[in-house]
Amino acid sequence: MHLLLPLTLLFLAFFSFQHEAIDYTSMVFPVNKHTDAAKPLYSMTLMTAYVNVQWHAKFLIDIEGPFSWHDCVLVWNSLPKSSCPNNKLCAGPISCEEFECTEVRTSYSYDSPSCPPINNSSTLPGWGYCTCPVNVMNPVNGKCTQSELNVDRFAANSSDGRNSFLAYHGINLHAACAPSSSFQSFPKNVSGVMAFSASRYALPAYYYQSWIKTSLALCLPSTTSSPGVLFFGEGPFYLLPHSDVDLRSLLSYTPLLKRPDSFSYYIGVNAIVIKQRSFEVVENTTARLSTTEPYTMLKTDLYHWVVRRMSMVTKRMPLATPVAPFSLCYRMFFNNGTLVDLSVPDIDFSLQDGKNWTITRDNSIKHVTKDVACLAFVDGGAKTEQAIVIGTFQMMDNFLLFDLENSTFGFSSSLLKMNTSCSNFNFTNSFETYPL
Ligand SMILES: *[C@@H]1O[C@H](CO)[C@@H](O)[C@H](O)[C@H]1NC(C)=O
Ligand SMILES: *[C@@H]1O[C@H](CO)[C@@H](O)[C@H](O)[C@H]1NC(C)=O
Ligand SMILES: *[C@@H]1O[C@H](CO)[C@@H](O)[C@H](O)[C@H]1NC(C)=O
Ligand SMILES: *[C@@H]1O[C@H](CO)[C@@H](O)[C@H](O)[C@H]1NC(C)=O
Ligand SMILES: *[C@@H]1O[C@H](CO)[C@@H](O)[C@H](O)[C@H]1NC(C)=O
Ligand SMILES: *[C@@H]1O[C@H](CO)[C@@H](O)[C@H](O)[C@H]1NC(C)=O
Ligand SMILES: *[C@@H]1O[C@H](CO)[C@@H](O)[C@H](O)[C@H]1NC(C)=O
Ligand SMILES: *[C@@H]1O[C@H](CO)[C@@H](O)[C@H](O)[C@H]1NC(C)=O
Ligand SMILES: *[C@@H]1O[C@H](CO)[C@@H](O)[C@H](O)[C@H]1NC(C)=O
Ligand SMILES: *[C@@H]1O[C@H](CO)[C@@H](O)[C@H](O)[C@H]1NC(C)=O
């Protein structure tokens, strides 16, 4: 009967249901990989309010965006009779006179030269105020769209780190409603962007001082066929078959850095090491972490060194014509009908405090066709300000913990070495709880 529960009741209740026997420590979301857009992208599935048809929605995971936005329509008079159009998600408007509007527009906005100037022109019929237009930047095609700031409500299942439970946790935040046309370039069925950045209007800021810890655990799957997992909250965290290993015990930690001019997260990198040779980067180099860049981008000198070093240590392996955007590709070969795995050395990112983020073959070599595989790093250009941007190919099947409370970043390196993967969270539970 839970699906029939009136949604307004659900969201008016604003509770987080604690089952007596279970210690919920986080909100949990399935994470899907999408390969049907211009680049591979990852979404999280959440539950939406004011729904006429949609119960679950998929939002891109963006750890850099200043605020969240999705395909929705502003309605101010939702009660008693909903004025939300059919097949649409609706949210309440923020007026241009409220301080949140000014604050988002002046300090927490998407910043792109392609964005048109914003204005106060729009009003809602019957509502005596101006709405709050804000620009949002589409992470798929880089286009800027005017959207409207709102008061939004979502819900998540809760977790004890082992299973997912239908014990709703409300997520109330300011997001923005963008027109449906902005999502045409998105992967199919993905209709929003959830921001997890350091911005005051991204999701983590709304949990400051709540019982949910401001900590994001991200485990991106390598396959489109089974979901990975995202936790917002504290550990423990478990992946099958290791029901007795809290993933936090496998992590190495490095400081999670922020910069005053950006909402992104950074880690300090000293060198990149391939088979005992290292490229020492300029002092205090930081790597930006991105969930919308598919491949790690390296500044040209660094990129050339990695490619040269990798070709040197793999010179017995047959090369293939490079497939853009990559420049070092190998021909795969078969031995008695079986694909022989390329043997490439690990790439170590030697971090600020001596820890290594080890990139093994699964995170360095991408199979682009049946018999061609490429080194999955891209040239970020000679003039780029950011020497290193770590992309999702290098994050897949790694357990990553952004502890925003203590500003530390935990990373496991490849989980495959531990005989598990990001697709191994146990989403089934033995019983269901209802929000009554
Ligand atoms: C929008 O209207 C508000 C309130 O009248 C005003 O403070 C603000 O400057 C206006 N913004 C723009 C971009 O016109
Ligand atoms: C407000 O901005 C939108 C989007 O940039 C534009 O289409 C519209 O013409 C603008 N309205 C006014 C009154 O300037
Ligand atoms: C929440 O949990 C219920 C019950 O296990 C499940 O059917 C539903 O798909 C889950 N929703 C999300 C967004 O994970
Ligand atoms: C999109 O959602 C519809 C309805 O839930 C489903 O039938 C379809 O398979 C989904 N498409 C993709 C590409 O996930
Ligand atoms: C931050 O560190 C403190 C002390 O070690 C710990 O109790 C707390 O749980 C940490 N925060 C998170 C989000 O893990
Ligand atoms: C590197 O960082 C340290 C500590 O923040 C600072 O003292 C030093 O001046 C920085 N070096 C450079 C070259 O920026
Ligand atoms: C080649 O594969 C076949 C069938 O998988 C197997 O029977 C045979 O022993 C293999 N030969 C060698 C030399 O490995
Ligand atoms: C990191 O990797 C380098 C080179 O591979 C190695 O010399 C060093 O001992 C490693 N550090 C740790 C803490 O494992
Ligand atoms: C992973 O599985 C392999 C083969 O089953 C085994 O040899 C290895 O010890 C396992 N490693 C871990 C960390 O469990
Ligand atoms: C997944 O969790 C459920 C509920 O706790 C449990 O019954 C089931 O055995 C677990 N699955 C595996 C493969 O351990």
Side-chain angles (χ1 to χ4, degrees), residues 96-97 102 105 118-120 130:
C96 68
E97 282 164 25
T102 311
R105 283 173 159 206
I118 45 176
N119 55 46
N120 278 346
C130 46

Side-chain angles (χ1 to χ4, degrees), residues 45-85:
T45 307
L46 42 71
M47 291 172 275
T48 55
Y50 287 105
V51 191
N52 287 329
V53 286
Q54 210 172 4
W55 173 246
H56 283 152
K58 289 185 162 69
F59 281 22
L60 292 183
I61 299 165
D62 186 359
I63 58 172
E64 302 184 90
F67 55 85
S68 305
W69 51 285
H70 67 118
D71 187 351
C72 57
V73 174
L74 292 183
V75 294
W76 64 273
N77 56 343
S78 61
L79 293 172
K81 186 172 172 291
S82 176
S83 54
C84 185

